[in-house]
Amino acid sequence: MIDVTPLNWPAVIAGTIAAFVLGMLWFSPALFGKSWSTGSHNIQPPASPPMLAMAVQLIGTFALALVIGMTETYQAIGAALMAIIAAALLIAGMDLFSQKTVKATVIDASYIAVSGVLMIAAQALL
């Protein structure tokens, strides 16, 4: 079992928050929301926030930040990069299977990649 005590917890929390906020901006109409919606079978924003989806996203974001924190602590940041790439490719594969457009797929996969970069930056800066 991996000891999580020595992790840089402020960086893990900061990376989680930064990536979660990025998601709200990334998929907003101000950035990629319109293109993503069009390429995702014209999904329209719900009338109220989808709380379950947001909770799952927050948990997943924390899990990725935790993996990055572990790999940084145990000097295996290459494993974090591979985890980010794997997650982005899995999302891309699911998107393409569900017949989203290439543009929507790139938006989804890029969000994962940029989130990972933010998490790595949090580890480096805090």
Side-chain angles (χ1 to χ4, degrees):
M1 181 142 177
I2 295 177
D3 180 16
V4 295
T5 307
L7 293 185
N8 181 349
W9 285 105
V12 169
I13 300 302
T16 300
I17 292 168
F20 191 75
V21 170
L22 174 68
M24 289 188 288
L25 295 171
W26 197 265
F27 294 101
S28 75
L31 286 179
F32 305 113
K34 291 177 185 174
S35 295
W36 178 84
S37 174
T38 300
S40 300
H41 311 291
N42 289 309
I43 293 173
Q44 297 303 309
S48 60
M51 298 311 286
L52 180 59
M54 291 176 72
V56 169
Q57 184 68 25
L58 184 60
I59 292 166
T61 302
F62 175 75
L64 185 57
L66 191 59
V67 166
I68 291 169
M70 286 181 201
T71 62
E72 177 64 22
T73 299
Y74 295 102
Q75 299 175 351
I77 200 68
L81 294 173
M82 289 310 301
I84 294 163
I85 291 167
L89 288 172
L90 287 167
I91 293 294
M94 290 186 313
D95 280 8
L96 293 171
F97 187 80
S98 68
Q99 300 180 342
K100 286 187 177 184
T101 65
V102 171
K103 190 172 190 176
T105 299
V106 168
I107 290 168
D108 280 340
S110 296
Y111 164 67
I112 299 298
V114 174
S115 291
V117 168
L118 283 176
M119 293 170 185
I120 290 170
Q123 289 292 324
L125 296 173
L126 298 178

